[in-house]
Amino acid sequence: MSPRDTALAYISANEPRFSEFCQRIWSHAEPAWREYKSARDYVELLRAEGFSVEAGSGGMPTAFVASWGSGKPVLAGFSEYDAVPGNSQQVVPYPAPREGVHPYAAGHTDPHSVLGTASLVAMLGAKAAMQQHGIAGTLKLFGEPAEKVCGSKPVHAAKGYYNDLDAAVVWHPWPSNTVTSDTQFGAYWSCVITFEAADPENWIDPTLVPIEGAHAQARCPGALDAMCLMYTTTKYTKEAMFPHAGSWTLNEFVLGDGGATSDNLAPRFAQIQYSWRASSLGIQEQIWRVLANNARHAAASTGCRAFVRWVTKTRVGLPNQVMTDLTWKNLQAVGAPAYDEAALEFGRDIQRNLGLAPMEDPFIPTASRLMPPEENEARLRAGLPAWQKHLSADDYVEFCWHAPTVRLLAARPRLRPPTPGFAYPNWAYLALGGLPGAVDPGMFVAARTMALTYVDLATQPETLAAAQAEFRERSGIGTPAWVPPLLPADFDPPVDLRWPEYVTTARGEEWCIPTPHAGTGAGETL
């Protein structure tokens, strides 16, 4: 039996075990930076499989680095496992948030339960092959929390965790089965801007209106007004951030603290998070300059001080055609996913419950066929200007500047629309993401393809050398053209910010607001 056959045999023998593991991560449904149970399950399993594991890597309690083997090459992958607030859903063909928690609690969307499990299985399949056949090399699986805010990979990169890698093989659930080629993903930056009314009593001279009692005085506008002014000013100035060319987005979210009061007191503390993605670092910088200026003016107008706390800064992706060709060859060897009748009937049940005629095959056709990388590339570029080389954002791009990296895509089926432009409700997408019959086929296609790619990289030194030569040329590593990590090496991961999490109270599981590391947790003065 060849090393490739050994890797595939390991995966086939362990499919039921890892299908159950995937369901366990799905059921945890833990949001960004709060994946305590999920990270624990990965760490325990990997240690039982003979990996040495650094838990809490990079100062992130729910991150880890698991290593097995010794020497070169050092081959890497990553597991993600965070869920998304507001996307709770049971695995049923009708709308039903999970019972026992708030209806807008977290749920898996892409889902990362599948993404993380396939990466784990691929790594264990490669380990089985390397161990049985005496193949030299080191396997590293990174546990990467908070992907939905692109949180951990820039931290691992900044702190040197990727510096010794020889290649990285990563993937993402997708509507099709293919490999990313020239057009890679762009940059994602995010920060929390805090407004604090430190001395609202000095907003007016109280002697001017000799009325006793603070509640009768004109109050300082305070932090809430500052935040609202920031929000509206940014809406006005968004038109001036960058021309309407290419694709870039800016999103915001207000972090609440339940600090409402009926007293005539100034709101003391308010926070708004901004996240923006673009195809170049220059565009990202331009957007930040406008945001920072808006924050300073909003603070000055409302008797506040403004602070910034960075959540993340990613670079942009780099292609590697050698890695793309190798992984595409392995995807062809594995083949496309196939779905059993039970999964198809679940899809039909969703259609029936929506008043639609059930289809013989309710899943989109790209879920069950292979798409050549050049076809996927053409689809991505169809709506892009020629000058734009990156699209959307994903933090796998951090690996691209430290080692040749490939990004595999494998199917996570969606429902076939009955008419062009028809949009299924979000709950239907979420329910399918938790159905083993719908997600396991693509998950194990991804695991097999990545495992074969690891084995090839460990046993074909000429292929790895060609990938690394291309990487050196494209990245400019060792020259001024190389883009280093955008976060400092001493970056303090924002795990103490007001990310929602589950806590146990007398009422059951609830959301709560954590305590910051120090002071208010507001960050640097703007």
Side-chain angles (χ1 to χ4, degrees), residues 27-177:
S27 68
H28 292 330
E30 296 172 301
W33 300 120
R34 305 293 183 244
E35 312 94 332
Y36 305 113
K37 297 176 184 177
S38 302
R40 175 207 64 200
D41 287 352
Y42 273 95
V43 169
E44 289 179 354
L45 188 151
L46 285 160
R47 284 175 174 161
E49 292 286 341
F51 282 71
S52 61
V53 183
E54 178 191 351
S57 53
M60 298 175 285
T62 54
F64 65 83
V65 182
S67 301
W68 177 88
S70 62
K72 294 285 192 175
V74 180
L75 306 176
F78 60 75
S79 289
E80 299 165 358
Y81 30 82
D82 60 321
V84 187
N87 288 273
S88 178
Q89 170 66 29
Q90 299 177 48
V91 187
V92 293
Y94 49 85
R98 288 184 297 129
E99 296 177 354
V101 293
H102 192 279
Y104 287 116
H108 283 280
T109 55
D110 287 329
H112 286 173
S113 50
V114 172
L115 189 158
T117 302
S119 298
L120 169 69
V121 175
M123 194 68 63
L124 293 175
K127 170 184 174 280
M130 294 171 69
Q131 191 169 36
Q132 181 168 324
H133 296 272
I135 299 169
T138 302
L139 297 172
K140 284 192 174 184
L141 183 68
F142 289 87
E144 302 284 11
E147 192 281 333
K148 284 302 182 183
V149 290
C150 292
S152 66
K153 298 183 192 73
V155 176
H156 274 143
K159 296 181 183 297
Y161 282 88
Y162 303 159
N163 290 352
D164 66 340
L165 304 184
D166 290 305
V169 180
V170 308
W171 88 289
H172 201 284
W174 209 250
S176 54
N177 304 279

Side-chain angles (χ1 to χ4, degrees), residues 74 128 296 344 517 522:
V74 180
R296 295 186 192 101
L344 298 175
H517 285 322

Side-chain angles (χ1 to χ4, degrees), residues 30 76 176 192 238 269 287 291 380 384 453 455 504 511:
E30 296 172 301
S176 54
V192 172
K238 187 175 181 180
F269 191 83
I287 292 170
L291 287 172
L380 287 176
L384 300 181
T453 302
V455 171
T504 301
W511 295 101

Side-chain angles (χ1 to χ4, degrees), residues 153-160 162-163 189 281 285 313-316 318 397-402 471 475-489:
K153 298 183 192 73
V155 176
H156 274 143
K159 296 181 183 297
Y162 303 159
N163 290 352
W189 292 10
L281 300 185
E285 289 281 4
K313 284 185 179 182
T314 77
R315 292 165 280 188
V316 299
L318 294 175
V397 300
E398 289 300 294
F399 282 84
C400 298
W401 293 91
H402 298 269
F471 162 71
S475 69
I477 193 166
T479 76
W482 183 66
V483 179
L486 302 181
L487 298 177

